[in-house]
Structures are given as structure tokens and as C-alpha cells.
Amino acid sequence: MRAARLIKMVLLLQARPSMTAAELARELEVSERTVTRDAQALSEAGVPVYAERGRAGGYRLVGGYRTRLTGLARGEAEALFLSGVPGALREMGLEDAASAARLKVSAALLPSLRDASRTAAQRFHLDAPNWFTEPRTPELLPAVADAVWDDRRIVARYRRGEDEVERELEPYGLVLKAGVWYLCARVAGAGAHRVYRIDRFTAVDTGEGRFERDEAFDLPAFWEERAEQFARSILRTEVVLRVSPEGARALPHALDRRAAREALEAAGAPDGDGWVTVTVPVESEEVAHGQVAALGPRVEVLAPRSLRERCAADAIRLAALYADRAHTP
């Protein structure tokens, strides 16, 4: 614990020309008396820490005691500080490690590049969760993340419908999608990789047994393929729509984006009013009802008939509602 604090103190002093005892105490989360003792310990160990008294005084390193990471341009340094996702790192229990890594990089950079972390943070921020959802960190995520880093097998219990299932897994990678954490893992002895929602895990036993990772496994490519398969698998029915030019532009924003675009590309020539007829796969008639309603008069449902009748009933109720209030100021 103290050794890590001493290293951090040296790195802080490398990154800044001078720091007061109060500033160091705040950064290290210790008392100023502890800072004084740590500075003395570093000096006795051969690290040239110099304490300067007075109003403008503080601690500093003398004799150019620093390491420098050369060869980085400003754009490269700023990109390096963009590589972390603070919220995700915190949820995996890696916030302290990431902070230490950024501090080491800052200390090693040339003085002219030391503001790279600040300039990057001022210009870019990643907010991963969806709107109108309350992000919840799965309680077992840090344990799973540790196993992923160490290539250690885990025995996981997870909810599948009304039942609980236990599996021995080889955890290959983690994916954060719209605020939800997923584990890409291989069932021990089964060979195929699968995807598990970590918030459905009820217990995780991380033993000492390690697995041999398949170096050909490509996590981004695997996730992209599975995500596309999942998106297509939930589109179990079809609707036939007559779409206006304005509706064609809005359709990919109301329905599944990929399905809507493919349907528009496959559509025939526009009719005399400039409208086109498309057949679009949807999750269900119930879901399609809400999606089509959002498009209003820009879309006409042709099939299935039950959906057309529901939309027609909506139109009648809306017309009656607004007719009653037509002359209301």
C-alpha cells in the first residue's frame, strides 16, 4: 500500500513542477504529516525530492529526475487519453488502475504535451447508456472482469427463464452495449462461443484453473455477427406499408434501421402520388402498431388486415378528439 503511494507521489511530482503538501495530501488521500514522511522516505531511497519552504514553496524533483516518452505527437497523445471509458472502467473495478496508468503516461510525456488529457476530456465524452434508462452495474461484474483479464475459468449460475442454470465457462471478453454488460464466453468442452447478460448471473465462482485462449478469436467481429443475428431473429413477422417520400425518410428511425433500409432498397417504382410500397420485417404486430403510429399520415398500412384495422380505429378516434376541440382557443 505504501509502496504504491510512494510511486504515485513520484509520478505526481514528475507531472508538475511543484506541489504543496496540501495538494499532495489531497491527491494521495493522506495527511500532510504522511506526505512529509513519504518525502523523507523517497529522499533516503535516492529519489531527489526537495522541499522548499515559504508561501511559494512545496515539493519538487530536482536534477531533471524524470522519464520521458518520446515520439508522440499531440494528436497521438490526445487519442491515447480517449482510449478509456471512465464509467465502464469504474464498473469493472479498474478505475484506480486506469488512473495510475494515465498518471504514468502524463509523467512520461514531454512538458508541451502534458495537457493532452485535459484537452481531450474537454472535447469528447462517451455516455454509454440509453436515454430514459437507469444504468445498473451488475454486482458480479468485477469478478467476471478479473477472470477475463486472467484467462481463468468460472463456474456461473444464471437465470434462464424461470430456471437457474450452472455452467463452467471460459470467459473471453466483455461488451458494454447501451448500458448493458454482456460476457462472450465458451462453455468448457463445448467449443462454441455464446453470449450471456451479466445482470442475469446469480453467482460466480472464480477458481484458479486457467484456459488456453484461442488467439484467432476476434471479439469485435464475433459481437458484430451475433448482434446482427439477434436483431434479425426478433423480426418474426412482416408488415406491408405504403410510404410517402417523407415517410421513407423517417422509416429507418421508427422501425429496425437495417430492415427498413433494405425494404426501401427493394421497393418498386413510386406510384402516381410518389408513394412506394414496402414489406418490412417487424418484431410483432403489437410492436409494429406503436412504430407505425409514430409515423402518422406519412405511412398507410396495407397488411396484415388486423393491423390496418387497428390503425384505422386510431385515426377515427384522433379525428373525433380533434374535431371536438377544433374551435377551442
Side-chain angles (χ1 to χ4, degrees):
M1 184 71 176
R2 191 190 185 197
R5 190 175 70 242
L6 292 174
I7 293 172
K8 186 174 182 179
M9 184 174 179
V10 173
L11 292 172
L12 285 168
L13 294 174
Q14 283 187 189
R16 308 179 194 181
S18 177
M19 294 185 70
T20 66
E23 290 171 336
L24 283 167
R26 187 165 54 252
E27 290 282 349
L28 299 172
E29 298 180 351
V30 295
S31 66
E32 293 186 29
R33 180 172 295 181
T34 299
V35 168
T36 301
R37 289 198 296 265
D38 286 352
Q40 184 175 355
L42 287 171
S43 181
E44 291 173 354
V47 178
V49 178
Y50 174 70
E52 190 174 47
R53 301 185 181 278
R55 180 176 298 178
Y59 290 92
R60 68 183 67 201
L61 293 172
V62 297
Y65 187 88
R66 66 183 69 253
T67 59
R68 286 180 174 170
L69 182 62
T70 59
L72 280 181
R74 169 166 292 278
E76 294 170 330
E78 290 174 343
L80 182 63
F81 285 104
L82 282 174
S83 62
V85 184
L89 292 170
R90 180 173 58 253
E91 292 177 5
M92 288 190 291
L94 297 174
E95 186 177 25
D96 290 342
S99 175
R102 287 192 294 269
L103 190 58
K104 289 179 181 179
V105 173
S106 295
L109 288 172
L110 294 170
S112 60
L113 299 180
R114 293 219 180 101
D115 65 341
S117 62
R118 180 181 59 82
T119 57
Q122 286 176 337
R123 288 162 173 79
F124 300 98
H125 175 68
L126 176 62
D127 184 10
N130 269 335
W131 289 103
F132 314 118
T133 58
E134 185 67 29
R136 296 180 180 177
T137 303
E139 182 180 348
L140 298 172
L141 176 60
V144 176
D146 284 344
V148 170
W149 280 113
D150 293 341
D151 293 340
R152 278 185 286 123
R153 289 189 180 90
I154 62 173
V155 176
R157 291 189 62 83
Y158 64 96
R159 296 186 302 274
R160 190 170 68 182
E162 299 297 324
D163 302 322
E164 275 198 3
V165 181
E166 183 174 285
R167 293 285 187 272
E168 182 179 1
L169 303 175
E170 297 174 351
Y172 267 69
L174 292 169
V175 175
L176 177 60
K177 171 71 172 179
V180 179
W181 284 97
Y182 296 89
L183 173 67
C184 300
R186 184 169 61 185
V187 178
H193 291 85
R194 301 177 184 177
V195 176
Y196 302 86
R197 276 186 61 144
I198 295 181
D199 58 6
R200 292 178 182 166
F201 283 9
T202 58
V204 172
D205 180 17
T206 55
E208 296 301 321
R210 284 178 164 77
F211 64 93
E212 186 174 345
R213 176 178 288 268
D214 179 4
E215 296 301 329
F217 178 76
D218 185 334
L219 179 60
F222 170 79
W223 177 259
E224 182 178 2
E225 179 183 354
R226 284 303 177 91
E228 183 176 348
Q229 289 176 358
F230 172 76
R232 291 185 179 276
S233 71
I234 64 173
L235 304 179
R236 300 186 179 92
T237 189
E238 290 183 341
V239 296
V240 182
L241 308 173
R242 182 170 172 262
V243 185
S244 71
E246 296 83 2
R249 289 192 289 270
L251 197 66
H253 302 286
L255 281 69
D256 179 82
R257 187 179 300 271
R258 184 191 297 269
R261 286 178 174 168
E262 290 178 353
L264 289 168
E265 290 171 0
D271 60 20
D273 296 324
W275 292 47
V276 295
T277 299
V278 297
T279 301
V280 190
V282 294
E283 184 173 345
S284 67
E285 183 176 320
E286 186 68 33
V287 171
H289 179 221
Q291 293 170 330
V292 172
L295 295 169
R298 295 173 291 182
V299 168
E300 176 189 0
V301 177
L302 301 180
R305 185 173 184 82
S306 55
L307 179 57
R308 179 179 175 85
E309 291 173 349
R310 293 177 70 174
C311 292
D314 290 344
I316 292 171
R317 285 195 297 270
L318 282 171
L321 176 65
Y322 285 99
D324 291 344
R325 302 173 182 270
H327 301 294
T328 303

